[in-house]
Amino acid sequence: MGTASRIRLGASILASHPVLGTWYLRNRLRVATLPFERARLAGYSRFARGLTFRLTWACNLRCKMCRYAQNGNVCASPSDVLPLDAWTSLVDDVSRFRPYISMTGGEPLMYPHTEALIRHTRERNMRCTLTTNGTLLAKKAPLLMEAPPDMLIVSLDGPRDVHNTVRGQPKTYERAVEGIAAVRELKHRSKQNAPAIVINCAITPHNYEHGAAIVKIARDLQATALNCQYQWSLTPDAVSEHNAAHDGSHSLSCEEAGAADPPHADPVQMVEAVRRIRRAAASLRDPLMVTFHPNLTDSEVHEWYSNPRAWVQRRPAVCAWINTNILPNGDVEPCSGVVCGNITQAAFSQIWNGPPYRAFRRRLAAAGDFPICVRCCVYFRRD
């Protein structure tokens, strides 16, 4: 797809979903201030740009590339979660700053109050995204569409048999497709633009040969966009290097973190797989917005898969100044193994620039980045 076509497609998407454009511009302005904050504010930060609500660790799938399946978190009880009022109080606390809320898990639709929490977030004039494996989407769609998220991200790994193999259960592809169709039908019936539907595909040795197929699948499902992400990994070697450098201030357990070496991938084949995705997107008569996270050149894709310990597009880490996780028990976790408070014990607005958080930011600023950042999705997420 040429530059002019990309601009026209982007303009079309923004016309249908203008709130996403506003959010993107706010992010770009905020990113411009980060070097100053990081260097000059001694661990303080302006308010969070985005919050990730991990509503539950429980998940009904055991995906091959998921480190939460590796460490067993997905086996958590669906009842071992915060009550709705803990989350709504958090939303009320941060609403004056209007961070973008990303709801995920585990499988967030296994949390019993996801739809009510999205409604509350929208009523506070805040933007939110729901990321799901889609298997419960058809059942949840009617209530979800009463107050939909701004963006619905559904994970698909390729054609039916490929997806079901990667996800570890039969019928997961069919159920996800059924759920997307249910949301589309309700959007059409209620004449709503929200949510923007994004298909997310992780490029791994399990599915790389079918990258071009996912482009057609996303187009057939009438998705707003397709996002292809490279394989994230936290290796035991990275954990060991990290602990050697930061023992006492920020140590990790390989078992608890779900650290594991990624399956072998031929880097030449991975480069060609990405090229096939780009060619398939360019050949569509009806254009589809296709993005890559992170956006890598061919040589960087080769490096990414040839050596999971090699830095690609290295730059100072800024994640702790703009984003954080809120875990299912209420812990505020800016980085794996670091807890800076709990929302059931203190307001998030107090935790964000409290002593533990400021101390963590100072350590990160002094180090530049940590060894465990090398294949971390949050390290690359700035837009």
Side-chain angles (χ1 to χ4, degrees), residues 23 27 30 47-53 98-102 319 321-326 348 352 357:
W23 173 70
N27 289 348
R30 178 64 198 283
F47 211 76
R49 183 200 67 177
L51 301 178
T52 297
F53 291 5
R98 297 178 62 200
Y100 197 94
I101 306 298
S102 298
C319 43
W321 283 262
I322 52 178
N323 299 306
T324 199
N325 284 314
I326 316 295
F348 178 83
W352 179 248
Y357 220 129

Side-chain angles (χ1 to χ4, degrees), residues 227-250:
N227 180 62
C228 300
Q229 62 182 39
Y230 299 103
Q231 179 173 282
W232 309 116
S233 60
L234 177 62
T235 68
D237 284 348
V239 172
S240 296
E241 182 182 345
H242 177 86
N243 287 344
H246 301 281
D247 186 33
S249 61
H250 180 187

